[in-house]
Amino acid sequence: MPHPSPAEPSTKPLVVLGIETSCDETAAAVVRLGEGVETLSSQIGVQFDQHRPYGGVVPEIAARAHAEVIDQVIEAALHEAGLGYGDLDGVAAAAGPGLIGGVMVGLSAAKAIALARDIPLIAVNHLEGHAVSVRLTEAAPYPYLLLLASGGHCQLLAVEGVGHCVRLGSTLDDAAGEAFDKIAKSLGLPYPGGPALEKLALEGDPARARLPKMLADRKSCDFSFSGLKTAAARRAELCETEADRRDLAAAAQAAIADQLADKSAIAMRLYAESHSTGRLFAVAGGVAANGEVRRKLAAAAEAAGFGFVAPPLKFCTDNAAMIALAGAERLQRGLVDGLDAAARPRWPLDAEAARDRPLHAPGRKGAKA
Ligand code: KG4
Ligand code: ZN
């Protein structure tokens, strides 16, 4: 099938099925990209119950659980959209970064559909999905500045256009969602910890538990959460009452939100120096579901003279609509992949920055971000 060159995006409306299996959500969705974006369906099966006894995601359990339900989830997405396989212009799957067993389940399903229906396959970077997630519901023209804060990633990116992101900053250790999850665990909260910690923090007084401010004196927009995580875990052992636990949850949440907002403010200044347009700040990823984080980021954007957009909560955490949209935007430009597309456990969005400014010495496992 001939595809337009990347320079001349096709204007024909495109219907794309997206598949997402890179962590513990098995998701499928259908998006139509024409003049605007329409999410025709979005199905998400979560595996929380299978992982809860272990306090976190177990890769092997996740992969098996994806394999068991992927067919039904895809059928349900097509059914919700009122469409059949014959209506699809392309099929997109998250091909990484993520837990490799799960990624292979979703990517293999997409390859099978592409082969059987003779439609293009688009192997989407999961992070590119998060990067476009605001475009599912908001007018967010390229370029914009993005904070991507999830369970596995925490980075600030200039999103310049389709498939083109420039990394301004990243975490030196844990991701923000990981910090939420681990602090929640030390407070005895069930997995997934972020939403549970936000609930506990509701009635807490953040001023009653002092926690360290990480990298506060640095002018870069890199993040660090591991010291905060350790300090909060130590304090959790000293909590005697429910009020102590609430206050610690509130203090930890405030500390994470403050760091995200402070580093985003630095990134907005850097971004403004190199961009004469696109004064828009977007947040994406599971941590963007947190009310305090959203409030502090919105305030930082206002102070910097930027507009602020955040996806609705259902598109903050992992979903397949964002994969379908990233796939449709690539397909519009003829950016499609062969059936030999590889599943990738690691896949930096900004390959140049990852090569020239690695955050970790070679051979070390380092941050997932
Ligand atoms: O984007 P996501 O679903 O998966 C990844 O790609 O990692 O993000 C999941 C992360 C988890 O760490 C979860 O605890 C966190 O997002 N999260 C939250 C909230 N909802 C999800 N963290 C804080 N407050 C929330 N309301
Ligand atoms: Zn994600």
Side-chain angles (χ1 to χ4, degrees):
M1 183 194 287
H3 295 295
S5 78
E8 304 158 30
S10 146
T11 48
K12 172 182 166 285
L14 294 172
V15 176
V16 171
L17 170 71
I19 299 173
E20 161 58 47
T21 54
S22 61
C23 191
D24 58 345
E25 281 92 0
T26 315
V30 181
V31 161
R32 183 190 287 126
L33 176 63
E35 299 268 295
V37 178
E38 272 175 279
T39 304
L40 304 180
S41 66
S42 180
Q43 294 282 327
I44 304 178
V46 292
Q47 310 172 353
F48 295 154
D49 290 345
Q50 280 118 301
H51 299 290
R52 192 163 288 129
Y54 307 94
V57 180
V58 183
E60 181 59 26
I61 293 177
R64 280 167 187 258
H66 287 307
E68 275 163 23
V69 300
I70 185 76
D71 293 345
Q72 291 107 286
V73 174
I74 292 171
E75 287 290 338
L78 287 170
H79 182 77
E80 186 194 343
L83 299 175
Y85 286 106
D87 299 308
L88 299 177
D89 296 299
V91 54
L99 302 174
I100 196 69
V103 172
M104 284 169 72
V105 171
L107 185 58
S108 303
K111 286 178 179 177
I113 295 168
L115 183 65
R117 307 305 306 199
D118 192 22
I119 54 176
L121 169 78
I122 308 103
V124 170
N125 185 314
H126 174 83
L127 306 179
E128 191 172 314
H130 278 302
V132 302
S133 61
V134 283
R135 293 165 58 83
L136 285 164
T137 51
E138 306 280 340
Y142 296 118
Y144 51 89
L145 176 69
L146 176 81
L147 168 65
L148 168 50
S150 68
H153 305 275
C154 192
Q155 35 189 294
L156 282 153
L157 297 155
V159 185
E160 306 288 2
V162 175
H164 181 198
C165 291
V166 177
R167 190 186 79 195
L168 302 180
S170 184
T171 183
L172 302 174
D173 40 56
D174 294 340
E178 205 172 352
F180 266 112
D181 290 338
K182 291 190 175 153
I183 295 170
K185 198 169 175 184
S186 60
L187 280 163
L189 296 170
Y191 165 84
L197 189 140
E198 180 172 21
K199 219 165 140 201
L200 180 65
L202 269 179
E203 309 275 304
D205 175 0
R208 280 202 53 231
R210 286 181 69 84
L211 291 169
K213 257 195 141 190
M214 307 295 296
L215 303 182
D217 51 344
R218 289 236 205 137
K219 292 289 161 250
S220 84
C221 40
D222 289 331
F223 302 91
S224 169
F225 295 103
S226 74
L228 174 68
K229 180 187 72 184
T230 309
R234 289 226 182 93
R235 283 200 68 107
E237 286 170 15
L238 305 175
C239 284
E240 287 176 354
T241 64
E242 191 56 18
D244 290 343
R245 293 175 67 249
R246 284 198 295 262
D247 293 343
L248 179 54
Q253 177 174 266
I256 296 171
D258 282 340
Q259 191 184 139
L260 292 174
D262 290 351
K263 298 299 176 184
S264 297
I266 296 173
M268 281 183 251
R269 281 201 293 277
L270 286 176
Y271 174 95
E273 282 168 15
S274 55
H275 292 76
S276 53
T277 59
R279 293 281 193 280
L280 183 65
F281 176 50
V283 62
V287 175
N290 185 281
E292 169 115 345
V293 168
R294 282 166 99 102
R295 274 191 299 281
K296 287 189 168 158
L297 294 178
E302 198 183 347
F306 275 60
F308 177 69
V309 284
L313 298 193
K314 63 179 176 180
F315 295 143
C316 288
T317 43
D318 286 350
N319 65 86
M322 66 184 195
I323 303 299
L325 177 57
E329 291 192 353
R330 283 184 165 264
L331 178 59
Q332 219 175 31
R333 287 157 178 78
L335 300 169
V336 300
D337 296 274
L339 291 180
D340 57 351
R344 302 172 64 170
R346 277 164 201 268
W347 185 1
L349 255 190
D350 181 345
E352 246 170 64
R355 189 192 62 222
D356 300 342
R357 292 182 284 124
L359 291 158
H360 295 271
R364 284 185 55 195
K365 193 157 171 259
K368 283 179 245 164

